[in-house]
Amino acid sequence: MFAIQNYSKQNIKNDILSGALVAVALVPEAIAFSFIAGVSPVVGLYGAFIIGLITSILGGKPGMISGATGSVAVVFVSLGLSVKHLHPDLGTEALSMMVLHTILLTSIIAGLIQIAVGIMKMGKFIRLVPQPALFGFVNGLAIVIALAQLPFLAPSYIAQYDTWIDILKASITENAAMYIIIIATMVTMQFLPKISKAVPAGLVAIIAVTLAVYFGHIDTKTVGDLADLSQVRLPHFVLPDPSLFSWGMMRIILPSAVIVALVGLIESLLTLSVLDEMDGKRGSGNRECVALGIGNTASGLFGGMAGCAMIGQSVINFTSGGLGRLSSFTAAVLLITLVVNFSGVIATIPVAVLVGIMFMVSIGTFEFSSLKRIKHMPKSDVFVLVAVTIITVSYDLAVAVIAGVIISALVFAWEHARIFARTTEEEGKKIYTLEGPLFFASVTSFHEQFDVEDDPDTVVIDFKEARVMDSSGAEAIDALTQKYRKASKKLTLRHLSEDCKRTLKVAGPFCAYEEDDPTYKVVRDY
C-alpha cells in the first residue's frame, strides 16, 4: 500500500514532518468550515480525519490532502436554510439535529455518486478543462484562500466603520500582534528553506511562534478562541434520521448531493492536475473519484461532513517534501490524535501563525507565470482565464470550471466554423475539394462554397481533406445533394467514410466507393 520498499529514510522523515505540519494546519480550517456549514466543529474535524485517511490509502495521487473544504461547506449553507424553511416549527436544538442529519445523508449520497463516476471511468473528462481554465481556477483559488484569512484580521465591531481605510486602521490598532506574527511566519517560511530543509518551515514557524506567544504572554487570538475542543472524541457510527427519507426532504437533499458530488470531483481532479504538474507524475483521476466517494460516504456514516481535495494543504504538503502516501496518512491520523488527546496544546496555537502559512500558500498557489503568458495568449484564452478567475472568487468553483469549458468549446467551434473549397475543372466536370471540419457550426460556410445554378452538369465533391464530424454535417450533405438533384445535375461524392455513407439518406446513392476512403466515424448522438 505504501510501497515501503521504495521509501528512503529521507522520504519517511519528510513525509512524517510534512504530515505533522498539515495536521496542525487542518485543525482551524476544519473548524472554520464547520462554522460556515452551520454545524458543530466536531463535524468538520471528523470529516477531515475520515476523508483524509481513506483518500491517503486509496486515492489516485500520493501526498494529496483531502478533507472538509469551504467549497463544499458553502453548499451546505443553502441546504441548512432549506431545512429551516421546511421545518419552521422545530425548536432550536431539534432543528440543529435535523440540519446535521441532513448534511450527513447528503454526504453519503454525494459519496455514492462519486463512486459511480469513478467506476464508470468518467474522471477522464477532466482533460476537457483547457489550460487557461486551469490557470483561472488556480489563480481564483489562490485569491479565495487569501480572502478567507481576512475575517481573522477584522476589528471586533466592523459595522461601525464606514470606509475600508477606517477598517484597516482599526484592524492594525486592534490586531497589531497578529500582523507582527503573520509577518514573522511569512518571513520564516520564505527564508528558512534557503538555510535548511531538514524540517518544514511551516512546522518550525508554528512551534516557535506558539512558544513565543505562550511564554511571552502575548495577547492574540488562538485556536481555542474559535471553538471548544475539549469534548472531542473518536468518531462513531451514526445512522441518518429515518424521517429524512420523506419526499419533501429528498427534494432538497438529492439536488444538493449532486452539487456536492460535482464540486468535490471538480476540485479534487483539478487539484490532482495541479500536483501532476508540480512533480511531473500522472495520478489516476478515476481512482481518486472512487476514493473520494468512499471517504465521503464513510464520513457521513460516522458523523462527518463531505469534503474533497484541499489544494492549499496539498501544496503545503508537496512543497514541504511530503510526496508519498505516508504524508497524507500521517496528517489524518495525527489530526484526530491531536484533537482527541492534545486539545489543550492545539488550543494555544495562535491563529495568526496559521493565517501567515495560508498567505504563503496563496502566494505559492497563484500561477504568476500565467500573467507573463497573457500577452502571448489568444484573446479568447485570456478571456477564459480572467472569467474563470472572477467566477471562482465571486461565485463557485464548479460553476467557474464548467463556464470555462463551455466558453472554450464555443470559441473552438467559432474558430473552426469555416470549411473551404478548392475548385478545379477537368473534362467538363467541376471538382470541389473541401478542407476543414464539417459540423454544426460550419454548415452555413459549407453551403456558401457551392454555386448550384452555374455549375456544369457533372459535379464532384471530394471529402479527402475534410471530415464530417456530426449528424448536422451529414444532413448538410443530404440537403446539398437534394439541390443538385432538383437542378438535374449529376453529383458524385467521394472519399466519404463508410459510417458517413450509412448515415446519409439522400446522398447515399451518389457516393463513389474508393479504396482509400477514410475510416472515421460520424457521431450520431451528441
Side-chain angles (χ1 to χ4, degrees), residues 7 35 39 69 74 114 198 208 220 232 234 247 249 335 349 367-368 425 440 463 470 476 491 493 507:
Y7 267 78
F35 287 150
V39 292
T69 58
V74 169
Q114 291 167 337
T220 184
V232 178
L234 289 173
W247 172 242
M249 289 300 296
L335 165 67
I349 297 176
E367 193 70 47
F368 288 98
E425 294 189 15
F440 67 92
F463 286 85
D470 61 9
L491 176 67
L493 307 175

Side-chain angles (χ1 to χ4, degrees), residues 65-329:
I65 306 296
S66 296
T69 58
S71 56
V72 174
V74 169
V75 180
F76 290 141
V77 174
S78 58
L79 179 63
L81 293 175
S82 299
V83 173
K84 293 175 182 177
H85 178 75
L86 194 64
H87 298 281
D89 54 329
L90 291 178
T92 303
E93 186 174 343
L95 187 59
S96 297
M97 288 302 298
M98 178 66 74
V99 171
L100 172 60
H101 279 265
T102 303
I103 289 176
L104 298 184
L105 182 56
T106 302
S107 300
I108 294 170
I109 297 174
L112 295 175
I113 294 173
Q114 291 167 337
I115 293 172
V117 169
I119 291 174
M120 292 187 291
K121 299 188 182 301
M122 296 174 64
K124 61 186 177 184
F125 288 110
I126 194 64
R127 300 174 194 168
L128 295 178
V129 179
Q131 191 66 35
L134 183 58
F135 282 148
F137 153 73
V138 171
N139 293 347
L141 209 53
I143 295 172
V144 169
I145 291 171
L147 293 177
Q149 313 311 311
L150 298 184
F152 294 114
L153 301 175
S156 301
Y157 303 100
I158 191 172
Q160 65 180 319
Y161 304 104
D162 298 325
T163 65
W164 283 103
I165 298 298
D166 293 335
I167 293 174
L168 181 60
K169 290 179 180 178
S171 176
I172 294 174
T173 302
E174 184 178 324
N175 301 313
M178 291 189 69
Y179 280 93
I180 294 173
I181 294 171
I182 290 171
I183 294 172
T185 301
M186 296 178 70
V187 169
T188 301
M189 293 192 66
Q190 176 66 29
F191 295 104
L192 183 60
K194 298 179 180 180
I195 300 173
S196 173
K197 295 183 179 180
V199 181
L203 187 59
V204 172
I206 289 175
I207 295 173
V209 173
T210 300
L211 291 174
V213 169
Y214 182 79
F215 290 107
H217 304 288
I218 300 173
D219 184 18
T220 184
K221 191 180 298 182
T222 63
V223 172
D225 296 326
L226 298 181
D228 181 13
L229 302 179
S230 60
Q231 302 302 317
V232 178
R233 299 293 182 267
L234 289 173
H236 57 278
F237 187 75
V238 179
L239 280 175
D241 192 321
S243 65
L244 297 179
F245 293 93
S246 65
W247 172 242
M249 289 300 296
M250 293 307 292
R251 279 192 305 175
I252 65 175
I253 289 175
L254 290 177
S256 297
V258 172
I259 295 173
V260 168
L262 292 178
V263 169
L265 289 174
I266 290 172
E267 186 162 352
S268 293
L269 292 175
L270 288 180
T271 300
L272 187 145
S273 297
V274 171
L275 298 181
D276 282 351
E277 289 191 5
M278 291 181 66
D279 69 353
K281 299 177 182 178
R282 184 175 176 181
S284 172
N286 293 318
R287 181 173 177 177
E288 185 62 34
C289 293
V290 174
L292 180 63
I294 295 174
N296 282 331
T297 301
S299 179
L301 289 171
F302 283 86
M305 61 189 285
C308 60
M310 309 174 75
I311 188 169
Q313 305 295 353
S314 298
V315 171
I316 288 178
N317 192 38
F318 264 55
T319 55
S320 299
L323 304 179
R325 294 188 184 275
L326 184 59
S327 61
S328 46
F329 181 85

Side-chain angles (χ1 to χ4, degrees), residues 292-516:
L292 180 63
I294 295 174
N296 282 331
T297 301
S299 179
L301 289 171
F302 283 86
M305 61 189 285
C308 60
M310 309 174 75
I311 188 169
Q313 305 295 353
S314 298
V315 171
I316 288 178
N317 192 38
F318 264 55
T319 55
S320 299
L323 304 179
R325 294 188 184 275
L326 184 59
S327 61
S328 46
F329 181 85
T330 300
V333 173
L334 192 57
L335 165 67
I336 198 67
T337 302
L338 289 173
V339 172
V340 172
N341 298 313
F342 301 98
S343 56
V345 176
I346 295 294
T348 62
I349 297 176
V351 172
V353 70
L354 301 174
V355 172
I357 291 174
M358 295 312 294
F359 275 139
M360 291 302 293
V361 169
S362 175
I363 294 171
T365 301
F366 195 92
E367 193 70 47
F368 288 98
S369 63
S370 64
L371 301 179
K372 299 178 182 178
R373 299 183 190 182
I374 283 181
K375 60 182 179 181
H376 303 294
M377 286 182 178
K379 292 181 180 179
S380 57
D381 285 352
V382 174
F383 178 75
V384 171
L385 190 156
V386 174
V388 172
T389 301
I390 293 174
I391 297 173
T392 300
V393 173
S394 61
Y395 191 64
D396 180 76
L397 168 66
V399 173
V401 174
I402 292 171
V405 173
I406 292 173
I407 294 170
S408 298
L410 292 175
V411 169
F412 178 84
W414 178 258
E415 291 178 347
H416 292 78
R418 294 285 297 173
I419 191 167
F420 303 95
R422 302 193 311 271
T423 58
T424 56
E425 294 189 15
E426 57 181 49
E427 300 177 356
K429 295 188 297 185
K430 187 173 183 179
I431 301 174
Y432 287 91
T433 303
L434 301 181
E435 295 180 23
L438 177 56
F439 65 116
F440 67 92
S442 61
V443 166
T444 301
S445 175
F446 171 74
H447 285 295
E448 291 174 351
Q449 306 301 315
F450 302 95
D451 188 356
V452 178
E453 292 184 6
D454 297 331
D455 279 347
D457 292 336
T458 303
V459 177
V460 177
I461 303 179
D462 193 335
F463 286 85
K464 188 173 184 178
E465 299 178 28
R467 178 169 181 175
V468 184
M469 305 292 291
D470 61 9
S471 297
S472 297
E475 292 291 339
I477 296 173
D478 275 338
L480 181 64
T481 304
Q482 187 72 25
K483 290 181 182 179
Y484 276 105
R485 189 167 66 178
K486 286 182 178 180
S488 301
K489 296 181 179 182
K490 181 182 178 181
L491 176 67
T492 302
L493 307 175
R494 66 187 184 194
H495 293 122
L496 277 167
S497 70
E498 293 296 330
D499 192 69
C500 183
K501 293 171 186 176
R502 288 192 297 270
T503 303
L504 296 172
K505 299 175 182 177
V506 177
F510 298 94
C511 295
Y513 290 81
E514 302 186 13
E515 293 182 359
D516 58 344

